[in-house]
């Protein structure tokens, strides 16, 4: 995986700290959890075990399960000799008992809010010592409700993985080389966040434009949609370099998508690539750098404007500048500052 928790792990490690990255617990009835392994410089992964996720909703058994998971985490942290460890956690339903156990073990609690919060997530926010939020509109709403315990951090792009030759001087990946241009790319699967009826209508209206996405093929899409297999993060920039524009036709009816802060936006921006999107809130501050449409006809017009953008347009340099301001190191510095504030507040309250 190379989503928000993984990038936050790299961001913290970039500041010289060590990170114990805990996978979602697996049922020991089905398989064993991953052993403790260093997967990147300063980042150590392991997979906790319990009986099964369905049991978490049972008060007594669920609490005992999370108590066992907490014990495994603390044991791995002690084996790494982590100094003044902090427990960072995203959202997982019925996991409050795990937070209780980690607090009892002496760990400050930092909740990571990467999307519009699920209803059960408010309990995790309230239980935290500090909650860090990525989407700016979500940050504003939560800070109005919970006060200064809510802090903002930028979305991040891992620049070392993105360092490839500039456009025109690289060899295209084999599986994309035979796809005609113009190519519009979405760096993810189509089944999760996208407005599929809108996407199908757009592709049917524009048979000469080719849509490239990642993950399992979707047979309901027109023939000008092309699925790429999953790849390592360090291979992704070659695919971005092979696109003519990024396309993000998110379904904006639900708050999760409307309020999201797409990682892929900064992957496109780092190469200066024009981006076309439905009107999610996070792109409002980049209105001069993103082309927007709500309907198939509006998307068609937005794509035409994006593809007409000159290669030497100043917008390309501005997009690159925005991406660099969202680097792993920038996010790591912000997290370091917030964790220092957390420790200062704890000393005062003590």
């Amino acid at each position: 995986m190379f989503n928000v928790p993984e990038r936050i792990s790299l961001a913290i490690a970039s500041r010289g700290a060590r990170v114990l990255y805990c996978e979602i617990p697996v049922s020991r009835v089905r398989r064993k959890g991953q052993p403790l392994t260093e997967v990147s410089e300063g980042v150590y992964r392991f997979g906790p075990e319990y009986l099964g996720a369905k049991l978490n909703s049972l008060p007594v058994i669920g609490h005992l399960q999370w108590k066992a998971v907490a014990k495994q985490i603390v044991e791995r942290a002690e084996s790494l000799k982590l100094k003044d460890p902090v427990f960072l956690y995203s959202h997982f339903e019925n996991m409050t008992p795990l937070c209780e156990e980690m607090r009892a073990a002496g760990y400050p609690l930092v909740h990571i809010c990467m999307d519009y919060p699920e209803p059960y997530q408010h309990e995790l926010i309230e239980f935290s010592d500090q909650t860090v939020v990525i989407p700016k509109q979500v940050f504003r709403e939560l800070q109005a409700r919970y006060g200064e315990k809510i802090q903002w951090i930028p979305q991040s792009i891992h620049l070392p993985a993105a360092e490839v030759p500039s456009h025109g001087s690289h060899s295209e990946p084999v599986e994309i080389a035979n796809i005609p241009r113009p190519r519009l790319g979405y760096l993810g699967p189509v089944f999760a966040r996208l407005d599929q009826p809108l996407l199908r209508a757009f592709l049917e209206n524009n048979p000469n434009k080719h849509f490239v996405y990642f993950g399992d093929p979707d047979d309901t899409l027109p023939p000008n949609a092309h699925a790429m297999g999953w790849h390592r993060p360090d291979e992704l920039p070659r695919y971005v370099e092979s696109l003519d524009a990024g396309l993000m036709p998110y379904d904006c009816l639900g708050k999760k998508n409307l309020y999201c802060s797409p990682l892929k936006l900064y992957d496109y921006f780092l190469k200066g690539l024009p981006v076309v999107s439905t009107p999610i809130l996070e792109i409002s501050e980049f209105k001069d750098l993103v082309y927007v449409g709500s309907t198939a006809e509006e998307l068609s017009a937005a794509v035409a404007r994006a593809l007409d953008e000159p290669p030497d347009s100043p917008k390309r340099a501005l997009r690159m500048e925005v991406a660099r301001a969202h680097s792993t190191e920038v996010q790591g510095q912000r997290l370091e500052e917030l964790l220092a504030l957390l420790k200062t507040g704890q000393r005062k309250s003590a």
Side-chain angles (χ1 to χ4, degrees):
M1 299 293 290
F2 197 50
N3 290 320
V4 172
E6 292 77 22
R7 298 190 190 206
I8 284 179
S9 298
L10 292 170
I12 295 172
S14 76
R15 306 301 297 174
R18 286 186 297 166
V19 178
L20 176 61
Y21 171 86
C22 307
E23 295 183 344
I24 293 174
V26 299
S27 171
R28 62 169 57 97
V29 177
R30 297 184 178 181
R31 61 186 176 93
K32 291 184 68 66
Q34 292 285 349
L36 184 64
T37 309
E38 188 172 16
V39 292
S40 182
E41 185 176 357
V43 180
Y44 299 81
R45 178 194 70 184
F46 97 103
E49 300 174 2
Y50 58 13
L51 289 177
K54 291 181 180 179
L55 299 176
N56 287 334
S57 59
L58 303 176
V60 176
I61 297 177
H63 199 111
L64 289 174
Q65 282 204 130
W66 285 121
K67 188 179 184 72
V69 170
K71 184 173 183 292
Q72 294 169 60
I73 295 173
V74 170
E75 286 174 350
R76 301 313 186 280
E78 289 176 347
S79 73
L80 292 174
K81 297 181 170 58
L82 300 184
K83 181 181 178 181
D84 298 327
V86 175
F87 183 61
L88 292 92
Y89 58 99
S90 57
H91 57 288
F92 194 78
E93 198 164 7
N94 298 313
M95 71 173 289
T96 304
L98 173 61
C99 298
E100 293 172 348
E101 292 295 327
M102 296 305 295
R103 173 169 284 165
Y107 287 64
L109 305 180
V110 176
H111 178 50
I112 303 165
C113 187
M114 60 191 80
D115 272 314
Y116 196 85
E118 301 287 346
Y120 65 82
Q121 205 169 341
H122 287 278
E123 183 178 14
L124 299 175
I125 295 170
E126 290 168 0
F127 202 79
S128 71
D129 296 303
Q130 187 178 82
T131 289
V132 295
V133 184
I134 292 175
K136 288 187 176 178
Q137 186 60 40
V138 176
F139 160 69
R140 296 184 188 103
E141 288 193 13
L142 291 180
Q143 191 174 63
R145 178 172 176 177
Y146 295 105
E148 292 304 312
K149 91 152 39 175
I150 307 297
Q151 297 289 338
W152 176 79
I153 61 170
Q155 191 63 281
S156 77
I157 177 170
H158 192 47
L159 296 184
E163 290 173 355
V164 297
S166 61
H167 191 77
S169 63
H170 75 297
S171 60
E172 293 183 339
V174 173
E175 64 181 331
I176 202 174
N178 293 326
I179 298 174
R181 290 181 182 271
R183 301 175 191 143
L184 312 172
Y186 180 76
L187 307 181
V190 294
F191 64 84
R193 292 183 181 267
L194 300 193
D195 185 334
Q196 294 209 26
L198 174 63
L199 176 60
R200 278 194 292 272
F202 166 79
L203 293 175
E204 289 167 356
N205 293 346
N206 297 271
N208 63 326
K209 296 180 175 64
H210 293 264
F211 178 65
V212 177
Y213 62 98
F214 288 76
D216 296 331
D218 187 332
D219 295 334
T220 68
L221 293 176
N224 52 334
H226 310 269
M228 304 289 104
W230 291 112
H231 293 274
R232 292 175 53 85
D234 56 4
E235 297 173 352
L236 197 59
R238 291 181 64 216
Y239 286 84
V240 178
E241 286 267 323
S242 302
L243 301 173
D244 297 295
L247 180 60
M248 305 191 307
Y250 285 110
D251 182 350
C252 293
L253 292 179
K255 286 187 174 181
K256 179 177 179 180
N257 296 334
L258 180 62
Y259 285 73
C260 74
S261 178
L263 288 165
K264 53 189 66 60
L265 176 67
Y266 302 101
D267 290 312
Y268 302 138
F269 273 15
L270 189 63
K271 299 303 172 187
L273 203 66
V275 179
V276 179
S277 175
T278 47
I280 59 174
L281 298 179
E282 197 74 2
I283 63 170
S284 61
E285 65 178 295
F286 307 128
K287 60 183 179 180
D288 295 330
L289 304 178
V290 179
Y291 300 89
V292 180
S294 298
T295 65
E297 292 73 21
E298 290 177 359
L299 277 183
S300 296
V303 166
R305 294 196 303 274
L307 295 176
D308 284 342
E309 187 179 283
D312 60 351
S313 169
K315 292 182 179 182
R316 296 181 183 254
L318 288 172
R319 292 187 189 107
M320 295 178 188
E321 185 178 330
V322 169
R324 286 191 290 269
H326 288 77
S327 69
T328 301
E329 289 72 22
V330 170
Q331 188 186 66
Q333 182 176 356
R334 174 64 175 157
L335 282 164
E336 186 177 44
E337 293 167 355
L338 294 179
L339 293 177
L341 284 175
L342 175 64
K343 291 177 181 178
T344 300
Q346 286 182 322
R347 282 196 293 269
K348 288 180 178 178
S349 63

